[in-house]
Amino acid sequence: TWYANQYVKEEDRQGFLDFINPENVRKELADAVLISHRYLVVKQGAEKYELLRMAGVRHIADRSDGIVHAVGIGFSDVDAETREELTRRKALSDALAQAEEANAAKTSFLSSMSHEIRTPMNAIIGINSIALKDPEVPEKTKEYLEKIGSSARHLLSLINDILDMSRIESGRMDIKNEEFSFREMLEQINTMINGQCQEKGLNYDCRINGHVDDYYFGDDMKIKQVLLNILGNAVKFTPSPGTVSFVVEPLAQFEGNAPLRFIVRDTGIGMDKEYLPRIFEPFSQEDANKANKYGSTGLGMAITRNIVEMMNGKITVESEKGKGSTFTVAVTLRVSDKKAGSEAVMDISPRDMHVLIIDDDPVASEHASLVLEEVGIISEACFSGEEAYEKLEEARDKGEFYNLILVDLRMPGEDGVEVTRKIRERYNGESTIILLTAYSWDDIIEEAIDAGVDGFMAKPLFASTVVEEFKRAIKRKLKDNGEIRKTELKGRHILLAEDMEINAEIMMQILKMREVTVDHAENGQKALELFKDSPEGTYDAVLMDIRMPVMDGLEAAEAIRALDRSDAKSIPIIALTANAFDEDVQRSLQAGMNAHLSKPIEPDHLYEMLEQLIGSTTSNP
C-alpha cells in the first residue's frame, strides 16, 4: 500500500493492489516467477509494467501445494547526491553533444566560406594574370593591374590566415607524421625566399651547420608554413640593402628522434622589447601605422606559434629596435632509414667521381665537401677561378680530369659564369659544370648556357641533389648537346571539368598561352562521358573541379579510374578546389587523383605541375 501511495498514479492504485494480492499473484504471475526467483513484474495502468527486485521468493515448483504464500519486495531510493551527479552527467553529455554539433557546423561553415570566397578570388586573380600577359596592354594599365593583383593576393593571404586560425581554435588542424624529403622542402623554401629577396634587393643566405638526413618523419607542409611565415616577415620588414639569413642546425639524435633548430635573422626594423611578449597573440601589432604600411594581418605569428606547439616544439624571438630580429624554432622529427644518396648513385660509382668545388666562401666549400663525402665522393675545394685553373692544369699534367665541377655563381673578381667560360675555352668539354647559387638563376640562364654551364643547383647542397643533377646533365649532353628542356606542354590535350563558366574561361585562357588544347565539361558526369567516348591516349591530363552539380569531381575521378582501359589508370588527374583544408587534399588523393591545386590557381604553378605529371607518364613529343 505504501508503494502504491508513493509511486502509482491515483487512478491506477486499486488496480495495482488487486494485481499483487496473493490470489492474483498465484494466477497471473506464476510464469514470471518461473522465469526468475529474484524479480517481480508489476503492472501499471493498462500497458505499463515495472520490474521490481524481490527477496526470498522460492520457485513455485519447490512448494508442495504449488502456491506462493508470501512475496518479499525490497525498495530503495537514490540519495540526493547521486541524483545530482546523474543530473550533472546528463548536462555534460548534452553540452558535449551541442559542442560537437557546433564544431561540425563551424567546420562546414569554414569549408563553405573557403569555397565561396576563393571562387570569385580565382576569377579576379586569373583574369588579372591573363591581362598582364597581353602584349597590347598599355604600361599605365599594367601598373593598375599589378596593384590589383597585389591587393588580391594580400586579401587571399588574410583569408588564409583567418581560416587557419579558425581551424586551430576548433581543433580541426592535424599534424601529420609522414616520411618526407628534407632536401625538397628546403629547396622549395629557398626558391620562394630567394625570389622575394632578389626583387627587394636583399642578400639571402641559407646554411646548414652540421649533418642533416635526406629524409625524416613529420609534417613538412606545416614546417614549411612556419618557416615561410617567419622568413616572409623577415623580407617584409627588412629595407634594402639588408640581409636575411636562414640557418639549419641539427642537434644530437636520441632514440630515433632528430631535434632540429631553425634560425632566421634579419637586419630589419626590429621591435621594442616591451612588445615581444605579445608578438604571438592574435591580431597583435606593435604599430598599426606600420602594419598598414607593410600589409600585416596580425595573425601570422599566432598561427606560427600554435603550429609549432602542436608539433611539441618551441619558438622564441629576440629583437632590438632598428637592428633586426632573430627567430628560433626548435622541433623534433623522427629519423628515417631512407637515404636518397644511396638510391641516386645506383648507376654511378662514387669512387669513380672526382669533384672540384669553386667557392669563395670557406664554410660553403667545407659543407659541400662533407655532403659529397657522405656518399663516398672525393672532392677538392678552391676559392677562386685562378686557383681552379691551377688545379685543372695539375690534373691534366697527371693525365687526370674532374668528372664534375661545382662553381659558385657570385664570387669577387671573376663570377661563376666567367670562370665556366674560361674553363671551357682551355679544357674543352670533358668535365660537367654545374653552377651553384643561393639566388635565382633565371636572369643569367642563357648567358650561363652559352658559357658552357651544364646545370644549375640551389644552395645549400645535398648529396642526392648533386648526383641527380650530375646524371641529368650527362643525359642532356648526350641527347641534346646541353640544351636544357622541360616537358613540352605545346600540343598537349587536356580535359577540364569546371561548372562555373568564368572559371572555365580563365583556365582555358591560361592553358591556351602554352598552346594546350582543352575540352571543357560542365560537370563530372560530362567529363566522364567525354573521357569514356574518346580513343585511348586522347587526353594527356584531367583538371577536375571538386564541387560540381550532377556528379562531383571525386565521384568522376573514381569513375574514370574504374574504367577498363589502360589510360584510365595512368592519366594524371589534378583536383581543382576552392577548399584549402588538409582533409580536402586527402579526399582527392583517396579518389585516385594525383595532385591538388587550391584556387586561385597560379598559372606558373599549374604549368609546373602539368609538366611534371605528364612527363612522368609520357615521353616528350
Side-chain angles (χ1 to χ4, degrees):
T1 303
W2 173 83
Y3 181 85
N5 290 337
Q6 289 289 322
Y7 296 102
V8 180
K9 292 180 180 178
E10 184 176 354
E11 59 269 24
D12 296 331
R13 284 176 192 163
Q14 190 57 48
F16 173 84
L17 294 171
D18 291 340
F19 183 72
I20 63 169
N21 71 44
E23 273 304 307
N24 288 337
V25 166
R26 188 191 63 202
K27 289 188 299 183
E28 299 188 23
L29 294 185
D31 289 342
V33 176
L34 283 170
I35 292 171
S36 174
H37 290 198
R38 311 297 294 173
Y39 294 95
L40 172 70
V41 177
V42 177
K43 184 176 181 181
Q44 286 189 302
E47 298 292 339
K48 291 185 179 180
Y49 296 84
E50 186 172 348
L51 187 67
L52 299 180
R53 179 110 178 152
M54 298 178 60
V57 175
R58 288 189 348 182
H59 202 287
I60 291 177
D62 296 335
R63 302 190 64 86
S64 58
D65 56 4
I67 297 173
V68 175
H69 291 266
V71 176
I73 303 176
F75 300 97
S76 63
D77 194 9
V78 180
D79 61 26
E81 184 178 343
T82 306
R83 288 184 184 278
E84 289 175 5
E85 178 64 22
L86 290 172
T87 303
R88 280 196 298 270
R89 288 186 181 181
K90 181 67 167 60
L92 286 172
S93 177
D94 292 344
L96 178 62
Q98 291 174 1
E100 289 174 344
E101 288 178 7
N103 194 34
K106 185 174 183 179
T107 302
S108 176
F109 169 77
L110 289 173
S111 181
S112 297
M113 288 305 297
S114 172
H115 182 270
E116 296 303 323
I117 294 174
R118 285 170 178 272
T119 297
M121 287 298 296
N122 182 55
I124 294 169
I125 293 176
I127 293 173
N128 189 74
S129 299
I130 293 169
L132 278 171
K133 293 183 183 296
D134 187 346
E136 297 182 3
V137 172
E139 286 301 317
K140 193 66 178 176
T141 306
K142 277 190 177 180
E143 289 182 21
Y144 296 147
L145 290 172
E146 285 169 358
K147 290 178 181 179
I148 291 171
S150 176
S151 298
R153 284 188 289 274
H154 175 64
L155 177 58
L156 186 62
S157 70
L158 178 59
I159 293 166
N160 290 338
D161 285 348
I162 292 171
L163 290 172
D164 273 347
M165 202 67 205
S166 299
R167 295 185 72 230
I168 289 170
E169 290 177 350
S170 65
R172 296 289 299 179
M173 182 170 280
D174 298 321
I175 299 297
K176 299 175 185 174
N177 187 30
E178 300 173 345
E179 191 174 48
F180 70 93
S181 169
F182 189 80
R183 167 182 62 83
E184 290 180 3
M185 181 192 77
L186 205 58
E187 284 179 353
Q188 291 168 5
I189 291 171
N190 286 337
T191 298
M192 296 179 69
I193 301 303
N194 266 332
Q196 293 178 21
C197 286
Q198 194 172 23
E199 288 177 7
K200 198 172 179 180
L202 303 177
N203 180 45
Y204 177 65
D205 179 39
C206 177
R207 295 174 181 270
I208 299 177
N209 292 341
H211 168 74
V212 295
D213 291 335
D214 290 298
Y215 289 88
Y216 292 99
F217 282 94
D219 194 329
D220 61 322
M221 293 298 292
K222 295 294 187 297
I223 296 172
K224 188 162 65 174
Q225 181 178 351
V226 165
L227 296 176
L228 284 174
N229 198 359
I230 298 172
L231 285 163
N233 279 348
V235 174
K236 185 190 300 182
F237 294 108
T238 302
S240 176
T243 299
V244 174
S245 68
F246 177 33
V247 179
V248 181
E249 290 184 350
L251 306 178
Q253 297 185 4
F254 62 96
E255 297 180 354
N257 295 304
L260 294 174
R261 183 186 294 135
F262 302 94
I263 304 168
V264 177
R265 294 188 180 93
D266 65 65
T267 58
I269 61 175
M271 294 171 281
D272 285 328
K273 292 190 188 307
E274 293 76 15
Y275 170 69
L276 294 182
R278 306 195 312 275
I279 188 173
F280 297 114
E281 296 175 3
F283 299 106
S284 174
Q285 296 175 342
E286 182 181 17
D287 188 328
N289 292 328
K290 285 183 179 177
N292 291 333
K293 175 184 176 182
Y294 291 102
S296 175
T297 64
L299 282 174
M301 284 294 103
I303 293 168
T304 298
R305 183 193 63 178
N306 275 282
I307 293 175
V308 171
E309 290 179 350
M310 288 173 72
M311 293 188 288
N312 296 318
K314 183 179 180 181
I315 181 170
T316 58
V317 57
E318 297 176 2
S319 187
E320 188 173 346
K321 200 75 171 178
K323 293 188 177 181
S325 305
T326 300
F327 284 83
T328 302
V329 176
V331 296
T332 300
L333 305 175
R334 293 291 295 175
V335 175
S336 169
D337 295 330
K338 186 175 181 181
K339 301 295 179 184
S342 60
E343 296 175 358
V345 296
M346 285 177 61
D347 56 348
I348 297 178
S349 174
R351 291 173 297 181
D352 296 333
M353 288 188 67
H354 194 191
V355 179
L356 177 63
I357 302 165
I358 310 172
D359 195 324
D360 64 297
D361 186 340
V363 175
S365 296
E366 184 180 357
H367 177 257
S369 297
L370 289 172
V371 163
L372 294 172
E373 190 178 333
E374 290 174 21
V375 291
I377 296 175
I378 299 172
S379 64
E380 298 177 36
C382 56
F383 306 111
S384 68
E386 288 299 325
E387 287 187 49
Y389 309 144
E390 291 177 8
K391 284 189 173 291
L392 287 164
E393 285 289 345
E394 292 173 6
R396 187 165 64 175
D397 291 342
K398 296 177 183 178
E400 300 173 353
F401 76 99
Y402 293 96
N403 309 76
L404 175 64
I405 301 175
L406 303 176
V407 189
D408 185 41
L409 172 60
R410 297 199 176 183
M411 295 186 292
E414 294 177 337
D415 65 12
V417 174
E418 184 59 30
V419 170
T420 299
R421 182 177 288 109
K422 289 187 176 180
I423 290 174
R424 289 299 187 215
E425 289 172 354
R426 300 179 186 183
Y427 307 102
N428 300 321
E430 57 189 13
S431 299
T432 298
I433 301 179
I434 295 177
L435 203 62
L436 306 178
T437 178
Y439 304 87
S440 170
W441 53 75
D442 292 341
D443 55 341
I444 54 94
I445 189 168
E446 291 183 7
E447 181 188 0
I449 292 172
D450 289 340
V453 170
D454 298 304
F456 301 85
M457 283 178 51
K459 292 183 177 181
L461 294 184
F462 287 83
S464 57
T465 312
V466 174
V467 179
E468 287 167 6
E469 183 57 36
F470 178 53
K471 288 164 64 178
R472 283 195 293 268
I474 291 175
K475 288 178 182 177
R476 283 195 294 265
K477 288 171 77 172
L478 292 174
K479 288 183 178 180
D480 47 35
N481 299 320
E483 194 177 304
I484 295 179
R485 296 168 57 188
K486 293 182 178 180
T487 300
E488 184 62 63
L489 291 183
K490 180 180 178 181
R492 298 294 184 180
H493 199 171
I494 304 293
L495 174 58
L496 170 66
E498 169 65 71
D499 64 307
M500 294 195 65
E501 187 176 345
I502 183 66
N503 286 342
E505 289 179 7
I506 291 168
M507 289 297 295
M508 293 170 76
Q509 283 291 330
I510 290 173
L511 292 167
K512 188 178 178 182
M513 291 177 185
R514 296 293 291 270
E515 299 184 48
V516 175
T517 302
V518 183
D519 288 345
H520 175 226
E522 59 270 19
N523 57 59
Q525 181 64 46
K526 182 65 175 176
L528 176 61
E529 292 171 359
L530 282 173
F531 187 86
K532 191 189 302 182
D533 295 339
S534 65
E536 288 192 15
T538 298
Y539 296 109
D540 294 293
V542 179
L543 298 175
M544 185 79 73
D545 187 37
I546 296 297
R547 291 195 180 189
M548 292 184 291
V550 185
M551 177 185 284
D552 65 30
L554 299 177
E555 294 173 317
E558 289 176 344
I560 289 174
R561 292 298 188 212
L563 292 175
D564 186 18
R565 47 190 281 177
S566 59
D567 59 347
K569 302 294 187 291
S570 61
I571 188 169
I573 304 178
I574 302 173
L576 306 176
T577 178
N579 294 341
F581 296 157
D582 291 341
E583 49 265 36
D584 299 312
V585 178
Q586 293 169 6
R587 288 174 63 211
S588 63
L589 295 177
Q590 289 165 5
M593 299 188 182
N594 300 84
H596 181 280
L597 284 175
S598 294
K599 296 178 181 177
I601 306 298
E602 289 288 344
D604 290 340
H605 194 188
L606 173 65
Y607 298 148
E608 183 181 348
M609 185 169 287
L610 285 172
E611 289 169 349
Q612 179 182 350
L613 291 175
I614 294 175
S616 66
T617 56
T618 60
S619 59
N620 286 344

